[in-house]
Every structure is written in C-alpha cells, then in structure tokens.
Amino acid sequence: MGVLAALGLSIGASGARADQVVPGSYLLGDWGGQRTRLEDQGVRLSFEYGSQVAHNFSGGSDRLTRYADQWMFQATVDMQRRWGWKGATFQGTITDRNGRNLGADAKIGNSMLLQEIYGRGQTWHLTQFWVNQRLLDDRLQVKFGRLTVGEDFASFLCDFQNLTFCGSQPGNLVSNYWVNWPTSQWAVRVKVQSSERTYLQSGVYQVNPRYVEDDYARRSGWTLGNPSGTTGALIPLEFGWQVVPGGRSGSYKVGAWYNTSDGADLYDDTARNSRGLTGLDPLQHSGQYGAYLNFQQQITGTEEGRGASVFLNITQTDRRTAVLDRQIAFGVVYQGPFGQVRDAIGLAMGTTHNNARHASYVRDSNARTGEAIAAGGGNEYAIEAYYTWAPLPGLYVRPNVQYIVHPGGTSANRNAFVLGLKTQVSF
C-alpha cells in the first residue's frame, strides 16, 4: 500500500484481470463524482473482489466444498496528464489471495486447478508495478518494471473456473518459469505496431524460482525486492493480428519462447540411463522452449459484442523437461442470451497431456524404492459449462459445472464431477 501512497494515490475499484466486469461498470457507481474527477486528472482507481466455490460430487477421496478468493487494488496513471510525461502510463496492482484448493484437499489428482483463483502462496502480492512508454506516434511501446508474463504474451480471458480455459496457457504448463498473475518479476517488453492490425512483440523476463515459492511469497511477495537465485531469462516472441470481419472482432496470435535457464531431464540421468532406477542426478539441458497458438473470433451478433465467440488455444512445451507438455482448449461463449445484455453462456472442452517420460521415471523410481506413487502419462480431459447472471452493473454470479476425465492423466484417478460458483464484484 505504501507504494501507491507515495505516488499521491489512493486505493480504489475494478481490475486488470481479463475476467473483470465491463470497464466503466461499477457496483458503487461514480463514488459521488470522485471517480470522474480523478480520471480527469489522469488517475483511474480499481477495487475488485472475486471468489470461487467448488464441490466434488465424484472423484477424489472425500466429498468436500472449498472456497478461494482474491482482493485486487489497482491504480493506473496517465503520466502525461498527471505530470507531463508524454506517452507514459503507470500501473500498480496489489492482490491478496485466500482460501483452500478443492483438488488437493479432496485428493482428486487433477493437473489443472478446479478453482483458477487459487495459488501462489495465498497471500499479498505485488502483481504489477510498471511504466509503459509509447513512442513514434504509438507505433512503438516499451514497458518495464515488475510484470506478469501473461498480461502481454498468450493473454486470454479468465471467464471459466477451470484453469484449462483460463489465462495465458503456457503458464498453466511451465508455471515454474512462465509466471502469470498474481506473481510478477522484473522485466522489459517491447511491442512494435507493424501495421494498423498487426504487431510483433518480445520481452526479457527474470527467471527466479524464489518468486514462485509459497514461503517467499508470504514473507516478501508484496515488496519490490529482487531476491538472489536468478537462473536466467525467459524470452517470449509473439506475432498478433486483429481482424474485424463484418464488424465482428477477432484476435490471432502465434508465439514461441526460450528460457535460458538449465532444465533437469525428466527421465535421463547424467549417464543417459533411467535416473529412476539409478537414483543419480538428472541430466541438465541448456535452455527450455515452447510454442503456442491463441485464436479468438466473434462469429455471430453485433459489433458491440452480443453474440457467439469461439476460441482455440494450443501450447506445446519442451518434452525433455516439462511434466505437462501439451494443452489444447477450445470453446464458445455467447454474450447476451435471452435479451439480457450483461449475461453470458459458456461451454469449453480441453485436454492437458502429462509427459510419459515423467511417468516412466516415477514407475522406475517406485521399482527401486518400493513406493507406490501414481503418475499419469496420458491426457486429463476437462469440460466446463457456465451461465453468467449479472443483475447489477459491476456484479456477476457465474454457476458452473465441470467434469474431469482421468485426472492427472491416468485412469487410476476416478473421474470428477464438480459444481462451482464464481462471483466477481467491481466496486
């Protein structure tokens, strides 16, 4: 909080998250005119609360209900209007997560979270603290500070509650170094608007395992600290194309990344034998990589957004080092059903592949040690459907149903039927 106070700002309403309510739509309105007066001075304040409830009717060892939530406080400053710094925008975001994880507590064995809002220490985080500088008539942008990778690369909505269909997909698979919300790291991103509807961007993001450790997050996750332990840099590259055929918007992205940090082989030891059988240290690979596709297109309705939109996300990671090596998700969202402009219906299906090389390592290790640790080497399939009810501006309630087949990529885990409820309030 002290960071924002030092800038002469106070804490306020709506979020940077992709699943926020429609911008300019707030439960508490204009705060008696204060919100408008602040925005006239170049300051936009956001204050948001989100919660997710989940109960498993099948799957796992226990029938449980779990609740997780997140508070979000954000300030965005037009630095030209506020202080005369031409073309610059500042954004600072602090989040606080709480609650429990149904998948872990009920021992469902799922690879993808059933409550995407859970994780990263369940504590306070400095989620964003950056300046974005526009140059050359806005054709060039340079963004630097504390960033989350997923806000710029492979960025995607978070309307669904299952993580398979939420946020920047590479971070679902290699979350140890591709760091999504709410954790940030020091970084710089450069974006070039190559034409009116196309862009090319790249960045350099610090890779430091300390940032994603729960203990570190609870102690220092809310600070601007730079802990020791940096192992390398994540360098993503993305080409994007925005289209508006017939007034219906579409977004098409193709990207790849390289992590300069060494990565431990999942199966081979230093002599290229099974490390599960030998118990020796894993073979180290110089660098880790991956690629992704991210497509979204409105196919029916009006340019204001009412109608159906479809999406397809595909990510492939480095099979030598990534326990989760592939994810495919596709679905449709219909905005404005039954004449209710703020309501929506969503349906999605997806698969997350658990690397067979890791499963082989676990089986060999079990044979050597006598343990009976389960590890899948196949696909976890997820299906989710939801209905969004938005009775008031700045508020939605989203009941959802999830069905998980082969949690963790193995038939050893029973299929899970989960009923959820996602709620979001923008004050």
Side-chain angles (χ1 to χ4, degrees):
M1 304 297 181
V3 169
L4 299 181
L7 291 166
L9 308 176
S10 58
I11 302 301
S14 181
R17 287 291 301 270
D19 59 348
Q20 68 188 42
V21 295
V22 177
S25 180
Y26 308 102
L27 186 66
L28 301 182
D30 198 28
W31 297 347
Q34 288 298 320
R35 189 190 299 275
T36 296
R37 281 191 282 273
L38 283 168
E39 292 196 6
D40 288 342
Q41 298 171 21
V43 180
R44 186 173 73 250
L45 299 179
S46 302
F47 176 27
E48 189 173 287
Y49 176 77
S51 66
Q52 295 177 16
V53 182
H55 177 85
N56 64 313
F57 288 92
S58 67
S61 60
D62 300 288
R63 303 293 162 261
L64 300 175
T65 301
R66 288 295 181 261
Y67 182 93
D69 66 16
Q70 176 180 268
W71 295 89
M72 190 281 299
F73 308 90
Q74 183 183 91
T76 305
V77 183
D78 182 332
M79 298 179 74
Q80 180 174 350
R81 187 180 300 180
R82 184 75 174 176
W83 293 305
W85 184 348
K86 184 178 180 180
T89 301
F90 166 81
Q91 187 159 285
T93 305
I94 293 177
T95 54
D96 176 36
R97 285 187 167 182
N98 307 277
R100 301 285 300 183
N101 175 6
L102 173 65
D105 288 355
K107 299 180 178 60
I108 294 173
N110 49 297
S111 298
M112 292 291 105
L113 289 166
L114 307 172
Q115 301 148 279
E116 57 81 16
I117 207 169
Y118 180 87
R120 297 304 195 198
Q122 300 303 92
T123 187
W124 293 92
H125 288 86
L126 179 64
T127 298
Q128 294 170 309
F129 191 89
W130 51 252
V131 171
N132 187 56
Q133 178 67 61
R134 295 177 177 270
L135 302 163
L136 303 177
D137 295 326
D138 293 347
R139 293 193 301 273
L140 174 66
Q141 296 182 43
V142 181
K143 186 177 184 182
F144 55 92
R146 285 286 291 270
L147 316 178
T148 63
V149 188
E151 69 189 73
D152 291 305
F153 293 90
S155 59
F156 185 68
L157 298 174
C158 222
D159 292 334
F160 292 85
Q161 185 166 307
N162 189 292
L163 187 61
T164 308
F165 317 111
C166 171
S168 178
Q169 195 177 62
N172 298 345
L173 303 181
V174 287
S175 59
N176 57 321
Y177 65 81
W178 182 295
V179 181
N180 288 337
W181 185 290
T183 306
S184 63
Q185 63 282 294
W186 294 102
V188 59
R189 183 225 62 183
V190 177
K191 182 176 183 179
V192 177
Q193 198 72 34
S194 48
S195 72
E196 183 181 359
R197 298 201 178 278
T198 62
Y199 67 84
L200 183 67
Q201 64 176 357
S202 186
V204 178
Y205 293 77
Q206 177 188 20
V207 176
N208 188 329
R210 295 287 302 283
Y211 286 125
V212 296
E213 291 176 358
D214 287 356
D215 289 344
Y216 177 82
R218 295 188 185 102
R219 291 194 312 271
S220 304
W222 57 274
T223 71
L224 274 170
N226 182 19
S228 61
T230 295
T231 59
L234 171 65
I235 305 172
L237 177 68
E238 179 179 286
F239 171 77
W241 178 37
Q242 284 92 36
V243 297
V244 191
R248 296 167 182 165
S249 61
S251 171
Y252 298 82
K253 305 170 189 174
V254 180
W257 73 85
Y258 183 74
N259 173 16
T260 66
S261 308
D262 289 348
D265 194 278
L266 297 176
Y267 184 80
D268 290 341
D269 65 16
T270 53
R272 297 188 181 274
N273 296 313
S274 167
R275 66 185 182 96
L277 293 176
T278 65
L280 298 177
D281 291 338
L283 177 69
Q284 293 295 316
H285 294 282
S286 178
Q288 302 166 75
Y289 51 83
Y292 59 87
L293 301 174
N294 182 197
F295 299 160
Q296 302 173 66
Q297 179 65 59
Q298 184 181 355
I299 57 174
T300 70
T302 65
E303 59 183 302
E304 290 82 14
R306 296 187 62 183
S309 297
V310 295
F311 68 85
L312 171 66
N313 296 325
I314 303 174
T315 298
Q316 177 68 54
T317 65
D318 183 350
R319 295 194 69 254
R320 303 170 306 167
T321 61
V323 174
L324 303 176
D325 61 1
R326 184 174 63 252
Q327 189 169 76
I328 302 171
F330 59 95
V332 59
V333 175
Y334 188 89
Q335 187 70 39
F338 315 117
Q340 302 300 311
V341 178
R342 290 194 298 264
D343 289 8
I345 298 174
L347 173 65
M349 294 174 281
T351 175
T352 303
H353 188 256
N354 290 250
N355 197 329
R357 298 185 75 246
H358 179 254
S360 296
Y361 156 72
V362 173
R363 285 194 294 269
D364 287 354
S365 181
N366 287 342
R368 177 173 58 85
T369 64
E371 296 182 274
I373 300 173
N379 287 290
E380 170 181 293
Y381 301 95
I383 303 171
E384 180 178 344
Y386 72 71
Y387 186 90
T388 300
W389 178 50
L392 297 169
L395 168 67
Y396 71 69
V397 179
R398 183 175 290 155
N400 61 81
V401 177
Q402 303 177 46
Y403 191 67
I404 317 302
V405 178
H406 298 166
T410 173
S411 58
N413 294 326
R414 293 192 300 130
N415 298 345
F417 174 67
V418 177
L419 186 64
L421 180 64
K422 184 172 184 177
T423 303
Q424 196 88 355
V425 185
S426 179
F427 297 97

